[in-house]
Amino acid sequence: MIAALVLGLIALAAVVGVAWPLVRPASAGDQLDPFTEGQRRRLALREERDLALAALKELEVDHATHHIGDEDYAELVADYRARAAEAIRQLDAELPPVS
Amino acid sequence: MSDVTPATPDGPKPGIRHIRLVIALAIASLLGTFAVYTAFADSSMPVLGVAQASTGYEGQKVRLEGKVTKTTGDAADPRGMRFTLQDNVHSATIPVEYRGAVPDAYRVGRAIVIDGTYENGVFTAVPDTLVTKCPSKYQDKATPSTSSDSS
Amino acid sequence: MALIGQGALILALLLAVYAAVGGLFAGLGRDRRFLTSARNALWAIFALVVIADAIFLYAIFTHDFSFTVVADTTSRSLPVGYMFTAWWGSQAGSLLLWVTILAAFSLLALRATHRALGELQPWLIMILALIGAFFLVLLVVPASPFVTQLAPVDGVGLNPSLQNPYMAIHPPALYLGYVGLAIPFALAMAAMIAGRTDARWLIASRRWTLAAWGFLGIGMLLGSHWAYTEVGWGGFWAWDPVENAALMPWLVATAFLHSVMVQERKGMLKVWNICLISGAFALSIFGTFLTRSGILSSIHAFVSTNIGWYFVFALVAIIGGAFVLILWRLPLLKADQRIESLVSREATFLFNNLLLVGIAFAVLWGVIFPLVTEAFGSVRETVSTPFYEFFVIVFGLPLILLMGIGPLIAWRRASLKQLQRSFLYPLVAGLVAGGVMIGFGLGSSWPGVTALSVCAFVTVTILSEFVRGAAARRSIHGENWLLALSRLIGRNRRRYGGYIVHLGVILFVIGAVGSSAYETQTSGLLKPGESLKVGSNVLTFEGVERTRGPNFVARAAVLNVTSDGSNLGTLKPAKRSYLREQTTSNEVAIRTTLTGGDLFIILDGIRGDGAVQIKAFYKPVVALLWIAGFFFVGGVLLCVWPDQREARRILRRYAEEPLPGES
């Protein structure tokens, strides 16, 4: 009956779907490249840069809404700018990424 | 990983030790509250079968489990409801006096749970603590709890 | 038919095991072929599970009582709408629902991790397939929905108190929550296995955690509403194990939602966050089977059930696996920065976490206390409502206070001078509110006044955040108030969505405090014509009315309600007798006043001579409990709503150089 037929079809499709990637001829795109050390480092640096930039934005909002006084604001802004600059500097120092 | 904020050469700054201390104190006070409360407050009570309740727990507030074998009266009435509770395993019975809410599933033959004190040959129940247990597998049905057959 | 359903589940189980192995090979060998193969297996599993669902539902709707489960949970007289809900009316059926949701979510999660997290996909598949395989084993062996029997003429029927719209939605909502937590958990484990320390998995898991948490919260609220209107003892939460089952993972997930913000900004609390999400998922598994098995009634009950040991195995695997992974990856999980000041938002989040986990731990202790005392003591002991209420109040009040303090404090460190300015109005508001309340006589409950004053404080804080933000936009961008407010919320969805959720929590607390600490209660035996007074309302009993429903017969006490002379209508608390299920249920009558309070009436009994025993409550502001739900949902939706700008920003970061595993 219908249910048995549908089940049979799905089972067939499942077997094909599962086996086909394994039995078809191998191709170049079959390797999942792992992160190299350099890529990991650069990703971390980009994250650091973006975090510092986002924090700067948030800081501006916090200052405009009077959550932070001028003194603390100036100090924290300088700190985040330094972090962002440092991260960008380290990024540029690395070999430029392949695009 | 680039390290944009190097630690000071002589270990973590004193401010951080101060912060760690505060956090440790906070955790300690939470645990302390917990320990003190569970040790000193009368927060728990024994759960007993009918056979145990009448021996050695007189005058103590306990939670009683058993099966209803006979019931008369109306729990909403000032005179209350009187029923006989039989142990789920043995044949020991105990008379119970109860006032308060009665769950929908209550009937003779139903397993129930009730809180109260055994004194002078009668188990006097705390009002509104009657809870029924569904006889079929795995499921508790109760009032005032919300345990149900599906959730 | 049942055989085919069972066959589908067995096939799904085999495929799940294969997918786990395939994921492992794909991860170890960096082999895309195994990845594709395992992914196709997941698709097949989904299709097979849907077939099993279809067969099961078909059996329910065609009254095929040869299916034992169908006979146990439905009957011919069951209204059609509730036949659908019988799907999760049994242990086997609800496990089937769990697996269906997991299969669907797994596919969605794969889709979402397509870009930038391709490296995690093999491990993601492995972990999700293992979880799925576990549930499929349960479905195939101890808890099959396709067990057959000699078909009785009619089924047993659904418990009448479950024949209620809220009970229709409550279990699926909870299950969406329980299963939803599996995805962030799997992402965390996969990130650890792959050695990825960047925040990408955190960002990817955010929406899942929010959504799952939202479903758990709504599920609990729906359950509470059901308890209030249907079970009808006058309360909405009884600290029953099955209620606590959903509360515990929800509390831990709440902590997680807050502490990930700290990790995103400062790269700290990495190990803590992994512990939190593992704990939340473990509690969700614990919660799933707490509801379905009798293990907590006693150790003997536990040993005699067949499901119990399976779940112990699962819990050990989850906690043990997370522990091992954390130990292995500990060097990678070092904090990037530290907390700089106790007066910082990071610190308030930390304390918030401690309090939330504290409450969760206390609830967990209360839940397992009977088992522990039975195992290590001479007699089984139990705790009841006072135990739970103590910790909710003692840990919860500071938590609510923090909800008001947090927004006032900036990240990293706050200026004390600014803090004093920001604190002033809310603090004054709290004190004034407290004074006013005492003046109005609410001083009868000092925990109540304290809680409500803190709520006033928090409300002013949150509202001031909206005002200050909009004002800042106005001065910088020159927008009018409405535009400034909408742009403010639109550009900072998570922050202001969070504030809306907090407002929902405050409303809930006010409703809970108002309806419990300040309720009035009376009861009496009324003959026709006699009256009962509760609060400012007078209830006059007119007589007993009989009605008939689709599968029940009802007897109602007709009560005329007046207040200060004006007629407010009639209320009819009733007792219903369900013919097929041979049970009676109490139908309470509730009338909500304009101020959000409820007149709540229970028909305790009908005497032979026609007199009725009535219990009546007046519960102030209880409607706020349910209104809070709308704020909660609105806030969560706002947080979850896709933000195109932010998404583009994040993608740009990861697209700056091609990442491995992108297919």
Side-chain angles (χ1 to χ4, degrees):
Chain A
M1 52 165 172
I2 311 172
L5 199 62
V6 175
L7 185 65
L9 280 172
I10 293 185
L12 194 64
V15 169
V16 168
V18 158
W20 174 245
L22 299 175
V23 299
R24 65 164 163 73
S27 71
D30 280 343
Q31 264 304 102
L32 289 170
D33 317 297
F35 262 135
T36 62
E37 255 316 296
Q39 281 175 319
R40 236 179 253 277
R41 209 172 38 243
R42 281 191 293 280
L43 187 60
L45 283 172
R46 287 203 295 278
E47 232 173 52
E48 190 122 11
R49 173 201 66 194
D50 289 346
L51 275 175
L53 293 174
L56 277 170
K57 265 214 181 81
E58 204 163 35
L59 211 56
E60 198 189 316
V61 171
D62 278 344
H63 185 232
T65 53
H66 306 294
H67 286 93
I68 298 201
D70 297 324
E71 263 177 41
D72 281 313
Y73 176 63
E75 200 183 317
L76 289 173
V77 162
D79 180 66
Y80 281 125
R81 283 213 184 118
R83 284 170 197 264
E86 176 61 24
I88 293 172
R89 187 193 69 74
Q90 288 190 22
L91 264 174
D92 289 339
E94 302 250 340
L95 289 167
V98 182
S99 51
Chain B
M1 277 298 292
S2 83
D3 186 10
V4 184
T5 45
T8 56
D10 41 311
K13 303 195 283 225
I16 291 163
R17 258 181 273 149
H18 164 69
I19 290 170
R20 280 190 184 151
L21 182 64
V22 173
I23 293 173
L25 275 176
I27 298 176
S29 58
L30 288 180
L31 285 172
T33 311
F34 182 77
V36 167
Y37 180 81
T38 49
F40 293 107
D42 189 19
S43 54
S44 69
M45 64 181 138
V47 181
L48 306 171
V50 171
Q52 298 166 285
S54 37
T55 51
Y57 287 94
E58 281 222 34
Q60 261 188 352
K61 182 152 164 237
V62 299
R63 180 165 288 185
L64 194 61
E65 293 182 317
K67 209 166 34 201
V68 179
T69 54
K70 242 190 322 216
T71 180
T72 52
D74 188 347
D77 204 60
R79 283 167 302 167
M81 182 166 77
R82 268 178 170 265
F83 58 89
T84 313
L85 204 60
Q86 183 182 44
D87 195 287
N88 281 325
V89 179
H90 314 296
S91 55
T93 58
I94 194 171
V96 179
E97 218 174 75
Y98 178 73
R99 282 170 194 77
V102 178
D104 301 333
Y106 176 83
R107 68 172 68 145
V108 170
R110 188 71 70 168
I112 62 149
V113 168
I114 194 162
D115 299 350
T117 318
Y118 182 66
E119 255 166 346
N120 305 321
V122 164
F123 188 84
T124 314
V126 175
D128 296 327
T129 55
L130 182 66
V131 162
T132 52
K133 280 180 175 294
C134 191
S136 67
K137 48 202 176 223
Y138 313 137
Q139 280 137 5
D140 281 18
K141 209 164 76 70
T143 299
S145 76
T146 60
S147 60
S148 62
D149 297 350
S150 83
S151 55
Chain C
M1 275 296 253
L3 268 177
I4 297 172
Q6 190 72 352
L9 289 179
I10 294 176
L11 261 175
L13 173 58
L14 291 173
L15 281 167
V17 173
Y18 170 74
V21 172
L24 179 66
F25 283 0
L28 286 177
R30 317 296 325 156
D31 197 333
R32 188 186 300 277
R33 297 174 307 155
F34 273 106
L35 183 65
T36 316
S37 175
R39 193 168 52 208
N40 292 346
L42 285 189
W43 275 102
I45 293 170
F46 179 65
L48 287 166
V49 165
V50 167
I51 293 237
D53 292 335
I55 294 176
F56 187 60
L57 284 172
Y58 184 73
I60 290 177
F61 279 94
T62 55
H63 299 299
D64 187 344
F65 298 124
S66 67
F67 283 63
T68 311
V69 167
V70 175
D72 285 346
T73 52
T74 65
S75 69
R76 289 188 198 278
S77 51
L78 193 62
V80 172
Y82 294 120
M83 306 236 294
F84 190 75
T85 71
W87 181 356
W88 45 85
S90 61
Q91 182 168 57
S94 55
L95 287 174
L96 191 58
L97 180 65
W98 221 103
V99 146
T100 311
I101 298 175
L102 182 66
F105 278 7
S106 303
L107 290 173
L108 278 173
L110 280 184
R111 192 115 202 288
T113 53
H114 198 59
R115 297 236 202 99
L117 276 175
E119 191 190 11
L120 297 188
Q121 285 198 336
W123 310 114
L124 201 61
I125 293 180
M126 180 183 86
I127 295 166
L128 290 173
L130 282 173
I131 299 173
F134 168 73
F135 277 89
L136 284 164
V137 166
L138 289 178
L139 280 166
V140 165
V141 184
S144 171
F146 300 112
V147 172
T148 51
Q149 62 182 12
L150 198 57
V153 172
D154 199 356
V156 165
L158 191 63
N159 189 322
S161 48
L162 299 180
Q163 296 180 32
N164 174 285
Y166 295 105
M167 261 304 131
I169 323 175
H170 156 83
L174 282 182
Y175 277 33
L176 285 168
Y178 286 142
V179 182
L181 286 177
I183 309 292
F185 169 73
L187 280 169
M189 299 295 111
M192 275 201 293
I193 298 176
R196 280 282 281 268
T197 55
D198 59 282
R200 186 71 185 99
W201 77 267
L202 214 56
I203 297 173
S205 67
R206 222 192 262 147
R207 285 212 165 77
W208 288 97
T209 316
L210 258 173
W213 178 80
F215 281 122
L216 274 179
I218 283 300
M220 285 194 290
L221 196 62
L222 288 170
S224 303
H225 192 83
W226 169 80
Y228 182 69
T229 54
E230 180 63 39
V231 182
W233 82 92
F236 61 91
W237 188 269
W239 298 106
D240 187 82
V242 298
E243 295 168 297
N244 296 335
L247 183 62
M248 291 184 287
W250 186 83
L251 287 169
V252 177
T254 311
F256 180 69
L257 280 175
H258 288 88
S259 60
V260 292
M261 287 192 253
V262 178
Q263 183 173 341
E264 276 176 47
R265 280 172 180 73
K266 298 196 71 125
M268 50 182 289
L269 298 182
K270 293 182 186 176
V271 174
W272 176 245
N273 278 328
I274 296 176
C275 290
L276 278 180
I277 191 58
S278 308
F281 182 59
L283 283 169
S284 120
I285 296 283
F286 183 55
T288 304
F289 92 106
L290 207 60
T291 321
R292 298 262 110 232
S293 70
I295 56 136
L296 287 186
S297 46
S298 77
I299 288 195
H300 303 286
F302 177 85
V303 166
S304 67
T305 74
N306 30 28
I307 286 262
W309 291 113
Y310 285 94
F311 273 103
V312 169
F313 169 76
L315 282 179
V316 168
I318 292 169
I319 297 173
F323 184 68
V324 162
L325 281 176
I326 292 174
L327 270 182
W328 173 33
R329 290 307 196 187
L330 206 52
L332 290 175
L333 296 170
K334 289 256 180 318
D336 302 337
Q337 297 170 55
R338 316 205 108 85
I339 291 193
E340 292 168 45
S341 160
L342 277 176
V343 189
S344 65
R345 201 171 280 191
E346 294 93 312
T348 56
F349 277 29
L350 206 66
F351 292 126
N352 144 306
N353 265 221
L354 290 177
L355 288 166
L356 282 166
V357 170
I359 300 178
F361 179 73
V363 173
L364 179 64
W365 180 250
V367 167
I368 63 175
F369 194 66
L371 274 181
V372 170
T373 48
E374 189 177 355
F376 295 106
S378 55
V379 72
R380 188 154 58 97
E381 297 206 7
T382 184
V383 296
S384 53
T385 305
F387 172 87
Y388 297 108
E389 282 187 346
F390 174 80
F391 288 104
V392 163
I393 294 175
V394 170
F395 292 172
L397 267 177
L399 194 58
I400 301 173
L401 195 62
L402 280 177
M403 236 198 287
I405 296 177
L408 300 179
I409 297 185
W411 291 101
R412 276 189 73 175
R413 87 181 81 117
S415 327
L416 283 170
K417 230 187 330 177
Q418 297 298 103
L419 212 55
Q420 281 162 5
R421 268 183 62 186
S422 314
F423 256 98
L424 191 62
Y425 282 134
L427 196 62
V428 165
L431 292 170
V432 166
V436 166
M437 285 188 280
I438 293 175
F440 271 93
L442 270 63
S444 54
S445 162
W446 71 259
V449 175
T450 315
L452 291 175
S453 307
V454 172
C455 287
F457 167 74
V458 176
T459 309
V460 173
T461 303
I462 298 178
L463 292 177
S464 77
E465 281 294 295
F466 282 92
V467 169
R468 290 210 276 192
R473 278 202 75 89
R474 268 167 53 92
S475 62
I476 296 176
H477 301 276
E479 298 159 348
N480 65 59
W481 277 110
L482 204 59
L483 194 63
L485 198 62
S486 64
R487 287 251 173 93
L488 178 75
I489 298 175
R491 302 254 163 105
N492 298 283
R493 280 176 222 193
R494 281 204 303 281
R495 182 187 267 213
Y496 289 94
Y499 288 158
I500 294 176
V501 171
H502 285 177
L503 278 177
V505 173
I506 291 297
L507 287 176
F508 184 85
V509 170
I510 297 175
V513 170
S515 63
S516 51
Y518 299 108
E519 74 172 6
T520 45
Q521 176 186 347
T522 38
S523 52
L525 185 68
L526 300 175
K527 297 202 200 56
E530 288 181 346
S531 306
L532 193 64
K533 194 173 194 305
V534 55
S536 64
N537 304 284
V538 176
L539 311 167
T540 313
F541 176 47
E542 290 180 359
V544 175
E545 182 184 270
R546 283 167 204 276
T547 48
R548 196 168 259 275
N551 52 345
F552 63 84
V553 167
R555 289 185 304 161
V558 182
L559 297 164
N560 203 341
V561 184
T562 54
S563 177
D564 301 323
S566 54
N567 193 317
L568 298 175
T570 49
L571 286 174
K572 301 182 186 178
K575 283 201 183 292
R576 282 188 192 171
S577 302
Y578 285 84
L579 313 159
R580 178 72 208 144
E581 293 86 355
Q582 287 196 358
T583 51
T584 48
S585 79
N586 233 333
E587 301 297 311
V588 300
I590 303 175
R591 190 183 171 277
T592 311
T593 65
L594 284 170
T595 56
D598 270 2
L599 197 55
F600 188 99
I601 307 177
I602 308 176
L603 175 60
D604 271 333
I606 303 178
R607 253 192 2 196
D609 61 354
V612 290
Q613 186 72 29
I614 297 284
K615 182 151 56 183
F617 297 85
Y618 181 71
K619 297 169 162 295
V621 295
V622 70
L624 285 179
L625 290 174
W626 324 124
I627 295 175
F630 293 103
F631 278 77
F632 186 75
V633 169
V636 170
L637 280 177
L638 192 60
C639 289
V640 163
W641 211 259
D643 189 342
Q644 299 290 28
R645 288 161 135 238
E646 192 194 359
R648 259 180 281 143
R649 232 180 293 141
I650 292 179
L651 271 178
R652 240 181 288 138
R653 179 198 307 172
Y654 295 97
E656 279 177 37
E657 80 185 80
L659 288 172
E662 304 210 352
S663 41

